[in-house]
């Protein structure tokens, strides 16, 4: 097999992990109203939704732990082993959620088990997504680094699209009553099957050439994360800030949006899922476009322009979303996601380039997962809390800006 074929094969197999992560995450978000009824039946709808978002946030607080553990292991043992381990671990919460008894059947025990499953999911994803980013960068041609690494963001978006399509199709054929009763379990069961296929496919991965070269030159240390913290604290802090900043529009647009329209404005679930899928399809082409341009003109210009536009467009975007008109909401959310797509395409490459090979996964995973956990994973919970306590439907816009 030639090197070019080997690289292409490894790049495509690596990217499947990012797709599955976002499929699972999005599924949980899209069926949150159903999960909240199954596991928090005695609460009013907004409090139950808040409790379900709390479970999501608990999983996110496990990500920094997973990022530090698996990041350190990935810089010692190689990227391939960590991708295989974390993909295998992701299978457990998918199957567990699909089979878990509800509150009516097991009471508080069911809620505790659901919490543990979300925590395990957070632990595994904490090492999985950043390993995907590092592996892609280290397999990429030098002149197309951003374009190749942005594949993680593209397939993540496809995972979101897939999850939205699955929920839309199931809702159409099963109807709301059966979806709330048991249909919400089916997407998780499908996710388990897809994860199993990805797990066995990733056994055929080729190790990163950068890591192999670092090992050959005996640059690998016993505690790479300690070296990263000592030698690159400013870079880790930069990754932390940027991951937190981008986490807010990401989870507003991809996670919060559909639940907001369904729970707060009581819009038709099937219609909301249809426009959610359209939003995902609209913003995805902007990721490779921005990445390609950054490979030509540099990373900084695009980051500066998109950051300014986030601040300027936050209020107009939520004016459209709050109009209770589906078409207006589609364009409002698309504005947020297009800007997010342009910026994240640069971000995933830039944060990898800050660190040397032997500390790359440790340093990048630590900053990325801590920032994402504190600001990104808590976004649905925080904005739902503000809306429920203030009654101000523009609270998400102020949080974004």
């Amino acid at each position: 097999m030639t090197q070019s074929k080997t690289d292409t094969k490894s790049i495509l197999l690596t990217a499947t992990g990012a797709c599955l992560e976002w499929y699972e995450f999005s599924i949980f978000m899209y069926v949150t109203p159903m999960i909240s009824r199954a596991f928090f039946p005695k609460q009013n709808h907004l409090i139950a939704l808040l409790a379900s978002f709390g479970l999501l946030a608990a999983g996110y607080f496990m990500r920094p732990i997973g990022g530090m553990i698996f990041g350190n292991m990935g810089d010692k043992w190689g990227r391939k082993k960590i991708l295989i381990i974390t993909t295998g671990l992701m299978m457990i919460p998918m199957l567990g959620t699909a089979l878990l008894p509800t509150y009516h059947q097991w009471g508080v025990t069911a809620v505790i088990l659901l919490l543990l499953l979300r925590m395990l999911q957070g632990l595994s994803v904490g090492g999985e997504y950043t390993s995907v980013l590092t592996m892609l960068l280290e397999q990429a041609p030098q002149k197309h680094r951003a374009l190749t690494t942005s594949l993680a963001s593209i397939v993540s978006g496809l995972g979101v699209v897939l999850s939205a399509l699955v929920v839309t199709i199931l809702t159409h054929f099963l109807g709301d009553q059966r979806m709330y009763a048991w249909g919400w379990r089916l997407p998780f069961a499908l996710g388990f099957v897809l994860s199993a296929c990805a797990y066995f496919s990733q056994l055929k991965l080729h190790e990163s050439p950068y890591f192999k070269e670092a090992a050959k030159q005996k640059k690998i240390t016993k505690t790479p994360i300690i070296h990263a913290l000592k030698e690159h604290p400013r870079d880790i802090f930069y990754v932390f800030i940027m991951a937190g900043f981008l986490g807010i529009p990401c989870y507003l647009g991809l996670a919060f949006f559909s639940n907001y329209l369904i729970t707060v404005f009581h819009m038709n679930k099937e219609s909301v899922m249809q426009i959610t899928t359209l939003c995902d399809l609209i913003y995805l082409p902007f990721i490779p476009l921005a990445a390609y341009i950054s490979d030509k003109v540099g990373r900084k210009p695009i980051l500066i322009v998109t950051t300014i536009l986030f601040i300027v467009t936050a209020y107009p975007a939520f004016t459209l979303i709050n109009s209770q008109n589906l078409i207006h909401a589609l364009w409002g959310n698309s504005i947020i996601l297009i800007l997010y797509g342009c910026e994240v395409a640069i971000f995933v490459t830039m944060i990898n380039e800050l660190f040397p090979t032997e500390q790359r996964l440790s340093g990048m995973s630590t900053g990325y997962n801590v920032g994402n956990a504190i600001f990104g994973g808590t976004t649905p919970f925080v904005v739902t809390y503000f809306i429920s306590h203030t009654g101000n439907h523009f609270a998400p816009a102020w949080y974004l800006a």
Side-chain angles (χ1 to χ4, degrees), residues 226 256 322 338:
I226 301 299
F256 175 76
N322 288 330
I338 287 170

Side-chain angles (χ1 to χ4, degrees), residues 175-223:
D176 282 348
Q177 186 173 353
R178 280 181 287 188
M179 278 297 292
Y180 273 85
W182 53 266
W184 59 268
R185 299 177 181 275
L186 298 180
F188 290 104
L190 175 61
F192 170 75
V193 175
L194 294 175
S195 294
C197 294
Y199 174 82
F200 290 108
S201 296
Q202 287 183 345
L203 294 174
K204 302 175 183 178
L205 270 176
H206 295 88
E207 184 55 84
S208 157
Y210 279 74
F211 178 80
K212 289 194 292 186
E213 182 63 25
K216 184 179 179 180
Q217 296 179 9
K218 301 188 184 301
K219 291 183 178 180
I220 306 303
T221 62
K222 292 183 179 180
T223 54

Side-chain angles (χ1 to χ4, degrees), residues 72-73 75-77 211 214-215 218-228 231 358-359 362:
N72 189 68
M73 291 165 60
D75 282 334
K76 287 174 60 179
W77 300 347
F211 178 80
K218 301 188 184 301
K219 291 183 178 180
I220 306 303
T221 62
K222 292 183 179 180
T223 54
I225 190 170
I226 301 299
H227 288 275
E231 298 169 22
E358 62 272 17
Q359 298 165 16
S362 299

